[in-house]
Amino acid sequence: DQDLAHAARDQRLPTIFAVGAVGVVPEGSATHFEHDYAAVGVNVNLPVFTGGLYYARQKEAELRAAATEATLRDLENNVIRDVQLAWFAAQHAHERLSLTASLLENADAAHQLAQSRFDQGLSSIIELNQAEIEQTNAEIAHASAEFDYRISREFLSYQIGESL
């Protein structure tokens, strides 16, 4: 588009053409020329009375080039934004993964403690069942976090253009 803008600008400039011809008049021809002849012509084109046509074409080409550049910058910004969002999502999923692993360890320890207390007769079956439910919930949360992390990593790979 920049080349088109430069070409439109160049249409507004004057142009000069030179044309020449050299020849020999055949013998026996009835002409008013001598035996040899030469001619030169110069054509100067000054785009003065065009009604602003060339200027308008130049401006249109420049505006189209600017619009194309703006579209390109917008696409670049969108790609950068998408990659950054995918990176932050993967980072957040990784942090959530370590958090749920910690919660799972705590739930396992709480379940072992509740089991020991139940085995010694110091607590009821309700406390043991509650510990088992918390352990199961922690396992589910951790599995969900692993799944989310893998999905976010694959999405990040897609955004940066890595092959799957």
Side-chain angles (χ1 to χ4, degrees), residues 116-136:
S116 296
R117 288 177 48 97
F118 179 74
D119 290 345
Q120 293 176 2
L122 299 175
S123 67
S124 67
I125 189 75
I126 296 173
E127 184 180 334
L128 179 61
N129 285 344
Q130 187 65 33
E132 288 175 351
I133 290 172
E134 292 299 322
Q135 183 184 26
T136 303

Side-chain angles (χ1 to χ4, degrees), residues 80-144:
I80 290 168
R81 183 204 63 216
D82 291 347
V83 169
Q84 286 177 341
L85 288 175
W87 170 258
F88 290 137
Q91 189 176 13
H92 175 72
H94 185 265
E95 290 170 359
R96 183 171 173 246
L97 185 63
S98 62
L99 176 67
T100 56
S102 175
L103 291 174
L104 181 57
E105 288 176 15
N106 290 341
D108 286 341
H111 179 260
Q112 288 176 357
L113 179 62
Q115 183 69 46
S116 296
R117 288 177 48 97
F118 179 74
D119 290 345
Q120 293 176 2
L122 299 175
S123 67
S124 67
I125 189 75
I126 296 173
E127 184 180 334
L128 179 61
N129 285 344
Q130 187 65 33
E132 288 175 351
I133 290 172
E134 292 299 322
Q135 183 184 26
T136 303
N137 286 339
E139 289 171 350
I140 292 170
H142 187 64
S144 176

Side-chain angles (χ1 to χ4, degrees), residues 8-78:
R9 183 201 64 208
D10 291 345
Q11 283 183 333
R12 294 177 47 207
L13 301 175
T15 55
I16 300 173
F17 298 100
V19 178
V22 178
V24 177
V25 177
E27 289 290 327
S29 295
T31 64
H32 300 305
F33 296 109
E34 295 182 19
H35 185 48
D36 296 332
Y37 70 90
V40 175
V42 176
N43 183 13
V44 178
N45 181 12
L46 298 172
V48 177
F49 301 109
T50 60
L53 173 68
Y54 296 131
Y55 180 74
R57 285 182 182 168
Q58 176 187 354
K59 278 303 196 190
E60 178 187 10
E62 288 172 354
L63 290 174
R64 285 184 189 270
T68 301
E69 288 176 12
T71 301
L72 178 62
R73 276 193 311 273
D74 187 44
L75 289 173
E76 288 172 348
N77 289 338
N78 286 344

Side-chain angles (χ1 to χ4, degrees), residues 140-162:
I140 292 170
H142 187 64
S144 176
E146 283 181 346
F147 179 77
D148 290 344
Y149 177 67
R150 289 180 183 168
I151 290 291
S152 63
R153 286 291 304 168
E154 289 299 321
F155 186 67
L156 177 61
S157 295
Y158 172 77
Q159 288 297 333
I160 61 176
E162 288 183 354

